[in-house]
Amino acid sequence: MSHSPHSNTAHVILGLLDGRPRTGYEIKQTVDTSTRFFWAASYGQIYPELRRLRDAGLVESERDDTGGRKRSVHRLTPAGREALRAWLAEPAAATEYRDEKLLKLFFSASAVEDVTAGTAVLRAHAEEHAETAARLRELEPKLIAAGNPYQLAVLRYGIRQNDAGARHCEEAVRAIENPGAEESA
Amino acid sequence: MSHSPHSNTAHVILGLLDGRPRTGYEIKQTVDTSTRFFWAASYGQIYPELRRLRDAGLVESERDDTGGRKRSVHRLTPAGREALRAWLAEPAAATEYRDEKLLKLFFSASAVEDVTAGTAVLRAHAEEHAETAARLRELEPKLIAAGNPYQLAVLRYGIRQNDAGARHCEEAVRAIENPGAEESA
DNA sequence: TACGACATGTAACCAGTTACATGATTTA
DNA sequence: TAAATCATGTAACTGGTTACATGTCGTA
């Protein structure tokens, strides 16, 4: 059962550095345009974590002050690569979701006199799903070109889930606005 | 922009107490069989939060020691009902997902010599989705009978997302195991 | 009589966000 | 010359989990 002694933020960093060496700033940029829709990371995590990874010997950092800007480029050590592979081989913990919109929707029957509150939440939910799906679709061609089937699988997973989510919310609005069609398979 | 001064755990409690008065223990049981798949809560949150809600005048607690067991039954005050409605009327924050399985899948190309690691993660993901969907399906008849279209919408949303997730993972396994069919729409 | 469910709570910890502080370089 | 971007970091806070501590009641 013993799982990796490193946080998932550490694994994001190790995974990205396995691609190529990067600065902390570049790690943040890359996260924001790739893993962000299922795993975000802030500077407040990245920099301290890089420090810990360095102390643990999993990354090494090279100072690169050419041009006057002081920056540290981090790269994986063999131990870091090993830690990444070990983590990949372990089973993942069961996913815990926390979705505030679902929470609101779940209790929307309590909105008594304000009957539109529930459908408003649903419409907002539909729109958020549609926007996310659109944003992810823009990334698709680049990933197809890159030829990484895993990253492509993740992206398409996101696209499908959001498409399905948007459709479902629209249907639910219709179902709530005209009750009576209350059965189905 | 100003949002509710209460945590989402507080809203879960308020929402459940709007149904009927409950003990902290009952709140936990109900969460575990209803909101849990998109919003969990532990005793370590529930009891301190009940205390805060009582101090804020949103719930009142009645001691009920009949039978020797000491228990507190909590009920919404008018102010509590008002706080619940106010929260429902506000737009929800954008949903932030954290999915460790997607993270692992995303970096599975780094598993080099262990080519089965990626598909193993996918199969585990498919299975988790299928189990969740099955568990949610069991709850459906009860909710249909209860006649709350919002709770039903949430449940069906969960069922669909998990069905779609399971299907997607199975397809992705096939796609990775026999490459060459690498194009599509 | 032991075990499982009922019942309440606290303390230590962990992961993550936000706001702050600082400063150089590039570009409009 | 002002604004955006590159670049690094810390401190305070928030939300949540886990483990612990305690005790009753019903039932197999």
Side-chain angles (χ1 to χ4, degrees):
Chain A
M1 206 23 43
S2 78
H3 62 91
S4 167
H6 306 285
S7 70
N8 278 318
T9 298
H11 301 306
V12 178
I13 294 174
L14 295 177
L16 291 180
L17 293 185
D18 193 40
R20 63 173 174 82
R22 289 176 157 93
T23 66
Y25 188 83
E26 285 173 321
I27 288 170
K28 174 75 161 89
Q29 307 315 302
T30 310
V31 163
D32 283 347
T33 55
S34 63
T35 71
R36 203 202 167 281
F37 86 91
F38 61 91
W39 203 282
S42 63
Y43 290 125
Q45 287 173 272
I46 291 169
Y47 286 112
E49 192 63 53
L50 277 169
R51 164 102 218 230
R52 282 189 285 271
L53 290 171
R54 202 186 312 132
D55 292 347
L58 303 190
V59 312
E60 51 189 20
S61 311
E62 194 189 338
R63 202 75 190 189
D64 170 16
D65 291 11
T66 54
R69 253 187 200 132
K70 43 188 163 46
R71 59 210 292 271
S72 289
V73 181
H74 312 279
R75 70 184 67 245
L76 277 195
T77 63
R81 218 163 332 260
E82 181 48 43
L84 175 61
R85 272 190 286 119
W87 170 68
L88 286 171
E90 292 170 5
T95 311
E96 296 287 343
Y97 299 95
R98 290 195 173 267
D99 191 325
E100 197 188 321
K101 284 206 182 61
L102 285 186
L103 197 57
K104 232 166 244 213
L105 183 57
F106 189 82
F107 291 120
S108 285
S110 298
V112 223
E113 86 288 359
D114 186 5
V115 271
T116 62
T119 51
V121 169
L122 272 168
R123 276 188 234 273
H125 213 164
E127 201 185 326
E128 188 186 323
H129 275 308
E131 275 166 19
T132 304
R135 192 160 38 79
L136 297 182
R137 275 206 173 80
E138 287 171 21
L139 304 174
E140 210 178 1
K142 202 166 62 182
L143 270 197
I144 291 175
N148 184 322
Y150 299 103
Q151 294 190 8
L152 192 58
V154 170
L155 186 75
R156 285 181 171 165
Y157 178 87
I159 291 171
R160 285 206 191 181
Q161 294 279 290
N162 281 286
D163 280 347
R167 256 197 323 277
H168 176 84
C169 293
E170 286 154 14
E171 279 174 36
V173 169
R174 281 196 291 278
I176 287 164
E177 283 182 345
N178 59 302
E182 280 289 339
E183 20 50 67
S184 80
Chain B
M1 201 30 38
S2 78
H3 62 90
S4 166
H6 306 287
S7 71
N8 278 318
T9 299
H11 301 306
V12 178
I13 294 174
L14 294 177
L16 290 179
L17 293 185
D18 193 41
R20 62 172 174 81
R22 289 175 157 96
T23 66
Y25 188 83
E26 285 173 321
I27 288 171
K28 173 75 162 89
Q29 307 313 302
T30 309
V31 163
D32 283 347
T33 54
S34 62
T35 71
R36 203 201 168 282
F37 86 91
F38 62 91
W39 203 281
S42 61
Y43 290 124
Q45 288 172 272
I46 291 170
Y47 285 112
E49 191 63 54
L50 277 169
R51 166 100 216 234
R52 281 188 287 270
L53 290 171
R54 201 186 312 131
D55 291 348
L58 304 189
V59 312
E60 49 190 21
S61 311
E62 194 188 340
R63 202 74 189 190
D64 170 15
D65 291 11
T66 55
R69 252 185 202 136
K70 44 185 161 49
R71 60 207 293 270
S72 289
V73 182
H74 312 278
R75 70 183 67 244
L76 277 195
T77 62
R81 216 163 337 257
E82 180 47 42
L84 176 60
R85 273 190 286 119
W87 169 70
L88 286 171
E90 291 170 6
T95 310
E96 296 286 342
Y97 298 95
R98 288 193 175 269
D99 191 325
E100 196 188 320
K101 285 204 180 61
L102 286 186
L103 197 57
K104 232 166 245 214
L105 183 56
F106 189 82
F107 291 120
S108 286
S110 298
V112 224
E113 85 288 357
D114 186 4
V115 270
T116 61
T119 51
V121 169
L122 272 168
R123 275 188 235 274
H125 213 164
E127 203 185 326
E128 188 185 324
H129 276 308
E131 275 167 19
T132 305
R135 192 159 39 77
L136 297 182
R137 275 204 173 80
E138 288 171 21
L139 304 174
E140 208 178 2
K142 201 166 62 182
L143 270 196
I144 291 174
N148 183 322
Y150 299 103
Q151 294 190 8
L152 192 57
V154 170
L155 185 75
R156 285 181 173 166
Y157 178 88
I159 291 172
R160 285 207 193 180
Q161 292 285 83
N162 281 285
D163 280 346
R167 256 197 324 277
H168 176 84
C169 293
E170 287 155 14
E171 279 174 38
V173 169
R174 281 196 292 277
I176 287 164
E177 283 182 344
N178 58 303
E182 279 290 337
E183 21 47 70
S184 80

